[in-house]
Amino acid sequence: MSSQSKIIVLITGATGYIGASVLYRLLSFPDAQSRFEFRAIVRDAEKAKKLAEGFGVKTIVGSHSDKKLMEEEVAQADVILATADCDDMDAAIATNAGMKRRYESTGKRPILVHTSGTAVLVDDALGEYASDVIWEDENVAQLDSLPPDAPHRAVELEALSADQQGYAKTYIVCPSVIYGPARNPLVDAGIANSRTIMFKLQLPAILKRGYGTIAAGKGENVWCNVHIDEGEIECQRHACLVLMSLALPATDFYVLLFTSVLEESKHVPHGKEGYFFLGVDEQKSIQYINEVTRVLFGLGKVKSLKPTPLTEEEAEQYFGGSAKYLLRAIGGNARCVSNRAKRLGWKPSKTTKDFLDSIEEEVGFWLKNWSLD
């Protein structure tokens, strides 16, 4: 089969925590090499070389923020898997421009799977209370009520505009708090990031203060969580049955979606009805920080088992210009249900206990492997 007859799949964020897991599972399809041509935009030339030589991915050295490069590469693709910075408006604009060119040259609507996040749902609780509002990925009217200045929302709206104008099919995936180490050969090869950034963002402040840190209010706000190695796929299609023999993480929801839109596109809603939340169980912020504090106290890294509130002055000291944004996100409620994702066949099982139980290993990893200054 010539490359022209293959389905061209372009992925951004291929060396990231989510993107690498998605890419490797797609590469694991039995017919991957004959059916697909995988392309990845990669900033690091050495990682690009490893990805090309070791895994057969056509790599383009550059940034997805390079609008000219992004437009050119998207214009050649049938499917775009965007797993990089979900707030990069330049990349979103260039993606739309490239998809429009693709549609105009082929008459076929390219597919965009855009990764956003449930931070788009956060309210102004600032850690003071648990909200009763639960967002549903099947409730279009509720999703339409999201303000345009909500986190990630501006780029979501840009992606949706391509679907609304009829030159692309857009699907938006919103993971909640993803936890656990990513384990795949791209990580083993030194190409991909294996860890969520959550601990790297918060641990330096905790260690410098010497106390467990309640980032906002009382830590009573609620977020959903999902393990990176989470979910079974229930599907009768041949490709899905093959996948059931593999490890099936939260990121394999992307594989389920990818397979479904290619083989059963008439049955998978897109555009405003193409939202998929990935959230399984819930935790209060205080549950998370209490466990982090317990682990660090046991290691002699903090002075007390009782976490203390972060002052505004400390927030500016440790997080700089991002303090206001981060504290609103960390202290807000982002409760959701994944009805549409489950209806597609995703069957998650891990709970908040698994999330809390993972913290000791995660903290140990960051203390051992990274400079937290």
Side-chain angles (χ1 to χ4, degrees):
M1 181 181 291
S2 68
S3 61
Q4 289 184 336
S5 62
K6 292 181 180 181
I7 296 171
I8 298 175
V9 181
L10 176 69
I11 183 168
T12 64
T15 64
Y17 181 54
I18 294 175
S21 293
V22 174
L23 176 57
Y24 179 69
R25 283 159 180 82
L26 294 178
L27 291 169
S28 299
F29 276 21
D31 58 352
Q33 297 302 319
S34 61
R35 189 178 179 195
F36 304 104
E37 179 178 308
F38 293 102
R39 301 179 180 181
I41 297 176
V42 181
R43 289 188 178 91
D44 188 298
E46 185 60 31
K47 289 182 179 181
K49 182 180 179 181
K50 289 181 180 179
L51 194 55
E53 295 180 352
F55 297 92
V57 177
K58 180 180 178 181
T59 54
I60 303 97
V61 177
S63 169
H64 62 273
S65 298
D66 182 331
K67 293 175 70 174
K68 182 178 180 181
L69 173 67
M70 191 70 181
E71 180 180 337
E72 288 296 326
E73 294 302 326
V74 169
Q76 301 176 50
D78 301 296
V79 182
I80 301 93
L81 301 177
T83 69
D85 182 357
C86 62
D87 293 314
D88 191 328
M89 181 58 77
D90 284 344
I93 292 171
T95 296
N96 281 6
M99 291 193 299
K100 190 172 185 179
R101 284 174 52 184
R102 183 69 173 179
Y103 175 71
E104 290 171 347
S105 65
T106 66
K108 295 181 62 177
R109 298 169 74 176
I111 293 165
L112 169 64
V113 178
H114 170 72
T115 302
S116 185
T118 55
V120 71
L121 309 177
V122 295
D123 58 19
D124 292 317
L126 292 176
E128 292 297 331
Y129 60 86
S131 172
D132 292 330
V133 177
I134 298 177
W135 295 82
E136 303 176 25
D137 55 9
E138 291 185 312
N139 190 333
V140 176
Q142 187 187 37
L143 293 171
D144 276 345
S145 73
L146 286 167
D149 61 348
H152 314 329
R153 185 60 173 167
V155 173
E156 287 185 0
L157 292 173
E158 182 68 20
L160 288 172
S161 70
D163 194 285
Q164 292 164 348
Q165 293 177 52
Y167 59 81
K169 290 184 178 180
T170 298
Y171 305 85
I172 296 180
V173 182
C174 295
S176 55
V177 174
I178 302 184
Y179 64 96
R183 295 187 173 96
N184 60 66
L186 275 70
V187 171
D188 297 339
I191 296 171
N193 177 23
S194 67
R195 300 283 169 158
T196 173
I197 198 172
M198 177 172 62
F199 293 89
K200 188 180 180 182
L201 283 174
Q202 297 184 41
L203 279 178
I206 295 172
L207 295 173
K208 289 175 182 177
R209 294 180 76 238
Y211 290 93
T213 302
I214 305 172
K218 302 172 185 175
E220 289 295 314
N221 60 297
V222 178
W223 270 72
C224 290
N225 56 63
V226 60
H227 196 282
I228 190 104
D229 286 329
E230 174 65 280
E232 294 180 355
I233 292 174
E234 185 179 74
C235 180
Q236 298 305 310
R237 306 292 295 193
H238 172 70
C240 288
L241 292 175
V242 170
L243 285 173
M244 291 183 72
S245 65
L246 303 173
L248 297 170
T251 44
D252 259 332
F253 171 76
Y254 288 79
V255 179
L256 172 61
L257 180 61
F258 177 88
T259 302
S260 299
V261 299
L262 287 182
E263 299 188 11
E264 301 174 289
S265 59
K266 292 182 180 179
H267 305 293
V268 183
H270 53 90
K272 286 188 175 184
E273 296 184 343
Y275 267 82
F276 301 88
F277 291 149
L278 299 184
V280 182
D281 203 356
E282 297 180 324
Q283 80 283 338
K284 288 185 176 182
S285 288
I286 192 64
Q287 290 177 274
Y288 158 73
I289 198 58
N290 277 342
E291 183 59 18
V292 171
T293 303
R294 184 195 68 80
V295 171
L296 290 173
F297 182 77
L299 296 171
K301 300 293 185 180
V302 295
K303 301 171 185 177
S304 171
L305 276 170
K306 185 177 181 179
T308 61
L310 189 71
T311 67
E312 290 185 12
E313 293 77 12
E314 287 176 321
E316 292 182 5
Q317 176 185 350
Y318 298 125
F319 302 116
S322 301
K324 186 175 181 180
Y325 172 86
L326 286 173
L327 296 189
R328 183 178 183 273
I330 293 170
N333 291 284
R335 305 183 68 185
C336 66
V337 289
S338 307
N339 291 334
R340 197 186 302 280
K342 291 176 181 177
R343 195 180 302 280
L344 198 62
W346 187 56
K347 298 173 64 179
S349 61
K350 296 190 187 301
T351 68
T352 293
K353 182 180 184 301
D354 296 292
F355 170 56
L356 297 176
D357 287 348
S358 74
I359 289 175
E360 185 166 3
E361 189 277 338
E362 193 75 42
V363 169
F365 170 85
W366 287 104
L367 292 178
K368 180 180 178 180
N369 291 284
W370 288 82
S371 170
L372 298 171
D373 294 330

